[in-house]
Amino acid sequence: MRRPFASVAIGISLLAYLHGSAGDVRAVSHVFAPFNQLVDNRSDLPGLDPEVVPLIGAPAGVYNAYAVGLDWSPVAGGPYSGEALWAFADAADLAGVTRVYADPGRALNSSADSTPQTLVWRGYMDQAYAGGDPLFMYMAQRFTGSSANWTDVGVAIFDAVRYSTPFSGDTEGASRWHRPGSFFALSAVGTNVPYHVLPFHVDLTSRYELTGGLPTSDAHFDLYAGGFDPNDPLTNLVEIIDDVFFGEFERRTLTLTAGTQYYLVVTGYGNLDYGPYSGSIRSGDPLLPGRATLGLIPEPGTGILLLLGLACRPMRRRPLPERAS
């Protein structure tokens, strides 16, 4: 009998989390029985021919995170592992779906080829799931006419710590810059745009979810690592979130490194795009939840100097008791 590698891997990583390797012991968790599924896209339109499997048996409780793993292998039609997609929803038929609990996109370790591999997803639900409510897993291969075996599909849901660092401001009247249009050239549209710079750092090397937008204008976000100079906007640029339409909030998952100084530049798409903005930097991996802190990384030794300063504070000498005459 073949060892259920994906299910075992998910179970081990989840149990390590639940028993304190990444923080508190989590009281609410459930691992569903593993299953096998042939995922066959017979639709004329990509992604509209999902297989649906009910996930049964989650006890009462609130679940805000998931871990999914499976052994993936091609069958026919030239599928890629990067085209393997799934979602959690509340009904077995698309027409009856009222809640989509998670729809994470491609696996963390997927690729643009047909090499068999174990795929892993970890993340937070888009909206929390209450144990006992209907829960169905939709599975699809995006490429029309392709099919793949999803073997030993392991699904775990649990309650996970999630940290969120909000930010907000208003770019009206702010300094202006010529923003990047790509990693290699400056924008032909945003040539003199107001901007704000938000320095921040993270406590763990992990995945983080960045969300943000300008409610009244088209937004543009640029992320820099290690330094930021508005007069040299292509240097240290590591991520571009472009043309977020007004009133919309972009969501992007990024891997960030502890000990690196980051600078998030909030700006507009065009020269007349400015105004109030808001967003957050949140934990993106429930098995390794990190926290972002706005501001610069403290200089080494700052904490020791503060302690020394307290220890060396001048003190008044107690008056000596008078001697008896």
Side-chain angles (χ1 to χ4, degrees):
M1 183 177 178
R2 196 165 72 86
R3 177 173 174 264
F5 177 75
S7 301
V8 170
I10 286 297
I12 290 173
S13 61
L14 177 62
L15 287 173
Y17 176 82
L18 298 179
H19 291 283
S21 65
D24 300 334
V25 174
R26 311 309 300 166
V28 180
S29 63
H30 182 72
V31 179
F32 296 96
F35 61 90
N36 302 326
Q37 183 66 50
L38 171 65
V39 180
D40 186 4
N41 188 339
R42 300 173 299 276
S43 173
D44 292 331
L45 295 175
L48 295 181
D49 184 36
E51 315 294 339
V52 184
V53 171
L55 299 176
I56 301 171
V62 177
Y63 304 84
N64 74 336
Y66 60 82
V68 173
L70 58 93
D71 287 336
W72 183 93
S73 59
V75 174
Y80 292 170
S81 63
E83 297 165 346
L85 304 174
W86 61 264
F88 293 148
D90 65 346
D93 183 80
L94 281 172
V97 170
T98 60
R99 290 187 179 184
V100 176
Y101 295 106
D103 184 10
R106 59 184 294 175
L108 301 173
N109 59 331
S110 63
S111 57
D113 58 46
S114 297
T115 304
Q117 63 185 110
T118 295
L119 301 180
V120 177
W121 292 261
R122 300 193 305 270
Y124 293 91
M125 302 283 197
D126 296 326
Q127 52 184 316
Y129 166 72
D133 288 350
L135 185 62
F136 297 86
M137 186 172 183
Y138 283 71
M139 296 162 284
Q141 290 290 147
R142 287 189 60 187
F143 188 61
T144 302
S146 68
S147 59
N149 278 321
W150 294 23
T151 308
D152 301 320
V153 180
V155 178
I157 57 175
F158 50 103
D159 166 41
V161 170
R162 189 173 205 183
Y163 302 109
S164 180
T165 302
F167 59 83
S168 61
D170 193 332
T171 57
E172 184 173 3
S175 300
R176 292 175 176 262
W177 73 325
H178 191 170
R179 68 166 179 82
S182 70
F183 290 102
F184 312 105
L186 298 181
S187 171
V189 178
T191 58
N192 189 34
V193 197
Y195 72 97
H196 274 181
V197 184
L198 303 176
F200 73 94
H201 53 95
V202 297
D203 64 345
L204 290 175
T205 298
S206 185
R207 289 184 297 117
Y208 295 81
E209 182 184 274
L210 170 65
T211 62
L214 278 72
T216 59
S217 299
D218 288 356
H220 179 99
F221 297 89
D222 297 291
L223 182 65
Y224 294 81
F228 169 68
D229 181 352
N231 298 312
D232 188 12
L234 301 183
T235 298
N236 298 322
L237 180 62
V238 295
E239 189 72 24
I240 297 174
I241 304 175
D242 192 24
D243 199 10
V244 183
F245 294 126
F246 71 89
E248 294 185 358
F249 277 74
E250 178 71 10
R251 182 175 67 175
R252 185 72 58 89
T253 299
L254 309 167
T255 297
L256 302 179
T257 304
T260 298
Q261 181 66 62
Y262 292 99
Y263 300 86
L264 177 63
V265 180
V266 183
T267 188
Y269 178 74
N271 294 344
L272 299 179
D273 289 321
Y274 51 81
Y277 63 85
S278 62
S280 65
I281 305 167
R282 302 195 293 177
S283 309
D285 186 341
L287 298 185
L288 193 63
R291 189 200 307 260
T293 299
L294 297 178
L296 298 175
I297 298 175
E299 292 290 336
T302 301
I304 296 175
L305 291 175
L306 286 173
L307 289 174
L308 288 174
L310 290 173
C312 299
R313 216 173 28 175
M315 299 179 65
R316 286 176 51 188
R317 178 178 292 173
R318 290 182 180 177
L320 295 174
E322 295 184 5
R323 296 185 183 180
S325 54

